[in-house]
Amino acid sequence: MSATGSVLRSFVGANGLKRAAFPALALLLALSALVLSVLVSLWWLLALAFALALLGLGLHDMWQQRSALLANYPVAARFRWLALDLRPFFRAYMVEDDEEGKPYSYEARRLVYERAERASSTHPFGTELDPYAEEFVWISHSMAPVAEPEKDPRVRIGSEQAGSPYAASVFNISAMSFGALSANAIEALNLGAKRGGFYHDTGEGGISPYHLKHGGDLVWELGSGYFGARDAKGRFDPAQFAEQAQRDSVRMTEIKLSQGAKPGHGGLLPAAKVTPEIADTRKVPMHQDCLSPRGHAAFSTPVEMLEFAARMRELSGGKPVGIKFCVGQPHEVMAVMKAMRETGILLDYIVVDGAEGGTGAAPLELSNSVGMPLQDGLIVVRNALVGSGLHQQVRLAASGKLYSGAGLAECLAIGADWGNAARSFLFSIGCIQAQRCHTGTCPTGITTQDPARMRGLDPEVQGQRAANFQSATVEALMEIVAAAGLEHPRDLRPHHVHHRISASKSLPLDHIWEFLPANALLDAPEETAYARWWEAADPHSFRPRIDLGVARARAPGIAEADY
């Protein structure tokens, strides 16, 4: 009784009554509705029921202890929660300007939507960007543009050790797993890949029936969980791998070391989302948590990783094999190069995932603060390949926040051979950036396993939209290539891309970053900004062979004088 009295006393007086305004009004409405229902009409009983419900809610809020704000402002505090829930939608639709939205601006999303619909994506009255603002980027054109650039530029992937090389498009669908995406979303993306002549990366969730239904080209990604190619203890199963990898639609295989959104984190698909279909695809028990460990069990050193890759290539029938990772410590990248040179085992390609990427949910600290952004990581790997004399055999791909021909051109100028994208392809099949990917309540049926929600996503319609978007983006890329006086995207170079440093200064990329000449790390590593990273690289360990702190290792592009 004393506790009850204490709660009620806290709302005595003008200030207390103001804080409890909603319960007080509910009490007043209840008494009035009771009298009116007796004297006037029984319809007032509806108002009485509403008032009693509101009063009950107010009394509950007064006595609950979970929220101090709700205890002090019963009912009223709930409007704050409602406003916070609606805030992202009001900002997206009413407050943000065209360039303000995160992670993708309205202008970026609109560009994808227009291209997916085959609507005109031309822009009237000039750019709305400030060309004198820092970080403004432009691509240098030529006085002698090319009249007829290639219409469908392709990239041959496959070293001399690959028996079945693959001619890939310059723009493809990045890794997104069945389980993270719905069956209809996977089917739509693969149908788009089939119609557009580009590839669809499976993500680490295995090859589902929806990846195979339309026969679009697949890159099968194998993560630390070895989903779709694992035994009962979660170890790599060569027989299962060979059976899947030798399918005609699987054109390449890929070892996932890390991803941009959460490098070094692994992942977990909760038991509630492990449906019978997902369990069968991943070869895991139904209705149990599905864990992707932080690291691989099949190898622990660069040399062992290459031996595993060679085994995958053999089991697949000679199809190209590559690795995907978000760049972290540069000496590890150099160690992979040294391992290839020491063993003679070549990767066929490397995909660099930028830290700004990520379709799934991840801890905020990892998304915001771990891993190199795409451009920085791409430059490190490009220099490692070129400096170690491996770039003629090992292809390089960029995977990150790509949605336009201009962004793709910038990555290709840095040194990538092609680009992959995930979120922009999700936009093409209907994503509205509601950012409910991890809740199972995706409003467009893309990132959910709820049949009622995914029903609204028609693979036939959305698959064509994905194909339209890819085709229009490649066409825009080739417009840029032709304007630069080139015939193929592989001819783009760092000097074609300019970054504004300040209002009065701009520089081409090769004046901002160091781009190593061929074999520089073999011939004279001490003359490069990568000298200490190269010295620290050990092909038999991912650990540095020297103390980098003592060695005062320099980050790429930073002068010794800056330390």
Side-chain angles (χ1 to χ4, degrees):
M1 185 68 183
S2 60
T4 300
S6 175
V7 170
L8 294 178
R9 280 197 301 273
S10 68
F11 292 99
V12 172
N15 182 59
L17 188 61
K18 182 171 66 174
R19 290 188 288 108
F22 280 98
L25 288 173
L27 177 61
L28 181 61
L29 176 60
L31 294 174
S32 302
L34 180 62
V35 172
L36 291 171
S37 65
V38 174
L39 299 179
V40 180
S41 170
L42 292 178
W43 285 106
W44 283 99
L45 290 176
L46 296 176
L48 176 62
F50 171 77
L52 290 176
L54 187 61
L55 180 60
L57 180 64
L59 294 174
H60 167 272
D61 292 348
M62 289 178 184
W63 265 271
Q64 61 79 41
Q65 296 179 326
R66 182 171 60 90
S67 168
L69 186 66
L70 197 60
N72 285 330
Y73 294 87
V75 181
R78 295 179 179 272
F79 287 95
R80 175 181 179 272
W81 295 347
L82 177 63
L84 287 173
D85 286 342
L86 295 176
R87 179 177 180 270
F89 304 103
F90 281 117
R91 283 188 59 82
Y93 294 114
M94 300 180 187
V95 179
E96 292 174 349
D97 66 23
D98 287 357
E99 293 293 333
E100 202 175 39
K102 302 293 181 184
Y104 283 79
S105 68
Y106 171 72
E107 183 174 86
R109 303 195 306 271
R110 181 177 61 187
L111 178 67
V112 177
Y113 296 148
E114 288 172 344
R115 287 180 170 167
E117 291 282 0
R118 285 184 173 168
S120 172
S121 59
T122 56
H123 187 79
F125 224 62
T127 181
E128 295 179 19
L129 302 178
D130 180 1
Y132 296 99
E134 291 185 21
E135 300 182 359
F136 182 77
V137 179
W138 73 89
I139 297 168
S140 301
H141 67 284
S142 170
M143 290 185 177
V146 170
E148 295 293 336
E150 291 194 31
K151 297 295 185 185
D152 182 25
R154 314 296 289 189
V155 179
R156 184 187 183 277
I157 307 170
S159 68
E160 60 191 19
Q161 297 170 4
S164 301
Y166 175 57
S169 171
V170 293
F171 191 43
N172 305 279
I173 301 172
S174 192
M176 293 178 285
S177 300
F178 174 52
L181 300 191
S182 69
N184 287 13
I186 293 291
E187 185 180 335
L189 291 171
N190 194 256
L191 177 58
K194 176 65 174 180
R195 290 182 175 175
F198 51 97
Y199 77 66
H200 177 194
D201 193 311
T202 65
E204 65 175 310
I207 303 174
S208 72
Y210 307 102
H211 287 102
L212 301 171
K213 184 173 181 178
H214 298 288
D217 288 352
L218 294 175
V219 171
W220 183 15
E221 182 181 271
L222 210 63
S224 56
Y226 309 114
F227 299 128
R230 56 185 269 149
D231 61 19
K233 294 184 179 180
R235 297 171 301 195
F236 177 70
D237 186 321
Q240 287 192 48
F241 176 81
E243 180 183 354
Q244 294 274 45
Q246 291 180 23
R247 291 179 179 273
D248 290 341
S249 57
V250 176
R251 308 306 297 268
M252 302 193 294
T253 61
E254 182 174 291
I255 303 169
K256 173 192 168 184
L257 301 175
S258 62
Q259 67 187 83
K262 47 183 177 180
H265 179 67
L268 177 70
L269 190 66
K273 292 186 176 182
V274 184
T275 65
E277 271 189 321
I278 292 173
D280 182 62
T281 296
R282 297 193 177 203
K283 311 303 180 190
V284 298
M286 286 188 295
H287 308 306
Q288 294 184 24
D289 287 345
C290 181
L291 175 68
S292 298
R294 293 180 189 275
H296 281 261
F299 56 84
S300 60
T301 71
V303 167
E304 289 176 359
M305 183 188 72
L306 293 181
E307 292 170 346
F308 183 65
R311 191 180 184 197
M312 287 173 57
R313 185 161 49 211
E314 180 183 359
L315 291 169
S316 70
K319 295 176 181 178
V321 61
I323 59 174
K324 183 190 87 171
F325 59 92
C326 176
V327 178
Q329 301 182 43
H331 78 269
E332 296 176 344
V333 178
M334 306 299 166
V336 174
M337 306 302 143
K338 284 187 175 181
M340 281 193 278
R341 295 199 62 86
E342 180 177 303
T343 63
I345 300 172
L346 297 175
L347 295 168
D348 296 295
Y349 67 94
I350 295 174
V351 179
V352 176
D353 206 17
E356 65 270 41
T359 52
L364 185 65
E365 290 85 355
L366 271 79
S367 291
N368 285 352
S369 306
V370 179
M372 281 193 191
L374 177 58
Q375 186 177 110
D376 302 64
L378 196 59
I379 290 170
V380 169
V381 180
R382 178 267 176 205
N383 281 335
L385 284 170
V386 173
S388 60
L390 294 168
H391 70 293
Q392 295 295 341
Q393 294 274 5
V394 184
R395 296 291 180 231
L396 179 60
S399 175
K401 199 174 176 180
L402 299 177
Y403 64 89
S404 69
L408 187 54
E410 187 172 358
C411 289
L412 300 183
I414 289 171
D417 294 292
W418 77 92
N420 295 336
R423 287 171 291 182
S424 57
F425 273 100
L426 295 188
F427 290 139
S428 77
I429 64 170
C431 172
I432 60 171
Q433 198 169 274
Q435 295 180 277
R436 294 183 181 178
C437 310
H438 59 301
T439 65
T441 59
C442 172
T444 58
I446 294 175
T447 60
T448 179
Q449 300 305 313
D450 182 350
R453 290 178 179 270
M454 73 173 75
R455 178 197 63 81
L457 196 162
D458 186 330
E460 179 69 27
V461 173
Q462 302 303 336
Q464 185 58 54
R465 285 170 54 91
N468 293 345
F469 163 64
Q470 192 270 354
S471 174
T473 303
V474 172
E475 183 179 345
L477 168 68
M478 296 315 296
E479 290 282 352
I480 292 171
V481 169
L486 309 172
E487 295 185 354
H488 193 281
R490 63 172 166 262
D491 300 323
L492 286 164
R493 294 291 182 269
H495 66 264
H496 289 118
V497 180
H498 284 251
H499 277 224
R500 182 165 292 288
I501 307 302
S502 67
S504 60
K505 185 177 182 180
S506 64
L507 294 171
L509 280 182
D510 56 356
H511 285 216
I512 299 174
W513 297 94
E514 180 177 8
F515 287 82
L516 299 185
N519 302 322
L521 293 173
L522 304 178
D523 298 337
E526 68 281 353
E527 296 178 8
T528 75
Y530 296 83
R532 297 304 181 188
W533 299 123
W534 183 257
E535 183 183 357
D538 184 350
H540 298 282
S541 175
F542 285 109
R543 303 296 182 188
R545 60 171 24 149
I546 62 173
D547 189 327
L548 286 166
V550 173
R552 297 174 67 240
R554 293 180 293 152
I558 299 178
E560 181 72 49
D562 291 336
Y563 270 74

